[in-house]
Amino acid sequence: MLTDLQQQRLARNESFFREVNERINEIAPVFGAREEHRLEYLCECSDPHCSERISITRAEYEAVRAGPRRFLIAPGHDLPEIEQVVAAGDEHAVVEKEGHAGEVAEHLDPRA
């Protein structure tokens, strides 16, 4: 079982990647990207060294952002101790943080 401090650190790692993806999504229209265009987002897993890219449409990205505890990750990058997979595809998965990690993720949500 992870301590609250460990959960907080992992959630902060993921929130950092979410913030980067928010900026990607924010500037995409400046370059002509519409909801149906595919963009490359960063994997938002808790591994600070992960550099995987995930190609999804802006509309799919917005669906992930529907919940402040949800994150976009590469398949297999979930950490069952702090999150559960709520949607999965061939190229990406969506996880939802639970417990203290979920509270931290919700607090750090840039859309809140």
Side-chain angles (χ1 to χ4, degrees):
M1 181 118 183
L2 297 174
T3 67
D4 281 356
L5 185 59
Q6 290 169 316
Q7 289 185 44
Q8 180 178 358
R9 188 171 359 106
L10 294 169
R12 285 187 178 280
N13 289 346
E14 294 177 340
S15 294
F16 171 78
F17 291 120
R18 174 174 61 186
E19 185 69 35
V20 172
N21 284 342
E22 284 289 282
R23 299 295 75 81
I24 291 169
N25 198 56
E26 186 178 282
I27 66 167
V30 173
F31 298 99
R34 292 192 212 110
E35 294 297 310
E36 67 275 8
H37 287 134
R38 294 179 78 80
L39 297 175
E40 283 200 359
Y41 295 94
L42 300 176
C43 176
E44 298 172 347
C45 73
S46 58
D47 179 358
H49 304 292
C50 180
S51 60
E52 288 205 37
R53 304 290 192 273
I54 301 167
S55 178
I56 60 173
T57 66
R58 291 186 67 229
E60 289 171 315
Y61 178 78
E62 286 300 321
V64 173
R65 292 285 84 92
R69 294 176 176 230
R70 293 192 173 194
F71 291 83
L72 175 69
I73 64 168
H77 286 212
D78 59 299
L79 193 58
E81 294 89 351
I82 62 168
E83 61 201 7
Q84 69 174 340
V85 176
V86 295
D90 291 336
E91 299 178 18
H92 73 279
V94 178
V95 294
E96 187 167 314
K97 298 285 166 283
E98 300 173 325
H100 186 65
E103 294 169 7
V104 172
E106 197 168 332
H107 176 73
L108 295 174
D109 181 15
R111 295 188 179 190

